[in-house]
Each structure stands twice: as C-alpha cells, then as structure tokens.
Amino acid sequence: MAHEESPHPLRHVVDVGDEQPLWAGASSKILLRDASDATLRRVALASPHGEDHAERLRAWAAEAAERGYAVSSSKWDEGLTAVAVPVTGRTGKVIASLSLSGPSHRFPYEAVERFASELTAAARLISDQGFRHPLSGDR
C-alpha cells in the first residue's frame, strides 16, 4: 500500500499498514467482487451488522463491478467519501484496489465521476505492467 497526502489542511490520511474493515468502504466493494458466499459470510459476521450483511456486501460488490468503480460515503469515518477501482491480474481477477478518499464536501457527483475515470486509467496502467501479487494467479 502507498499513499499521497493532500496539501489541504483538512484531509483524510490512511497510513501505510493501517487496517481497514472489509465490511465497509469503497475498496471493500471492489475487493469482494469475486468473493465466495463463505467469504462474504465471514466478513459479514465480523461486522457490527451480523450475518445478514452478507447479502448487502454481495449487492454492493455487484453494483461496483457493473459500474466499474465503487463509492462510499461515511461508511467507516463520518464525513469522508472514497472512490475505488479494481486493479486486476492477468487473469482478470481483482487483486487490489486503487482508491482516493477525502472530506465529503470535496466529492460532488461530478468530481466522483472524474476521480473514478482517472483512477481507472491509473489502475489499468498498474494492471498492464503485470502487477504481481500472491492472489493474482500469475506465477
């Protein structure tokens, strides 16, 4: 994981190595795209929402897959919005997500669309360069 901090005094910072829950947020919607029912159930059970949350996770992941990106507002931190896109391995499987987050007032619909487009282009470059990851199936 890597990050770039905003020059704005009001910003959201996720430090390298910080763990985020897989049951909330834009990146989780991307990372869970190809998840099995058993995996979704485990993630849901780890959430404060319980086992019934698995269906919502599946719906969010499906919506993100159809759209090509995911958006999340105030799901993990109040007042924050994030946009995430998939980074895929050579097989097309999602192996990582690339995301941008910040104060929600800087993420109007038009900005979300632009951020998603720019993130998608960057993720495509990463994928095309043969990004290697243990989950990619590329050995």
Side-chain angles (χ1 to χ4, degrees), residues 4-16:
E4 179 70 28
E5 288 190 29
S6 170
H8 298 286
L10 178 60
R11 62 184 177 257
H12 179 231
V13 176
V14 177
D15 290 321
V16 173

Side-chain angles (χ1 to χ4, degrees), residues 65-120:
E66 183 176 316
R67 186 187 300 165
Y69 66 91
V71 180
S72 182
S73 292
S74 298
K75 295 293 186 206
W76 180 239
D77 288 317
E78 190 65 36
L80 293 176
T81 296
V83 180
V85 300
V87 175
T88 57
R90 289 188 179 103
T91 63
K93 184 176 180 178
V94 174
I95 56 174
S97 71
L98 185 60
S99 65
L100 176 69
S101 63
S104 295
H105 70 272
R106 292 194 193 122
F107 283 71
Y109 179 78
E110 299 79 21
V112 166
E113 292 290 315
R114 187 179 81 249
F115 295 156
S117 177
E118 292 175 9
L119 286 167
T120 298

Side-chain angles (χ1 to χ4, degrees), residues 120-131:
T120 298
R124 191 171 300 119
L125 284 173
I126 294 168
S127 296
D128 290 348
Q129 290 177 7
F131 178 74

Side-chain angles (χ1 to χ4, degrees), residues 1 14-20:
M1 181 175 124
V14 177
D15 290 321
V16 173
D18 281 357
E19 293 185 11
Q20 302 290 316

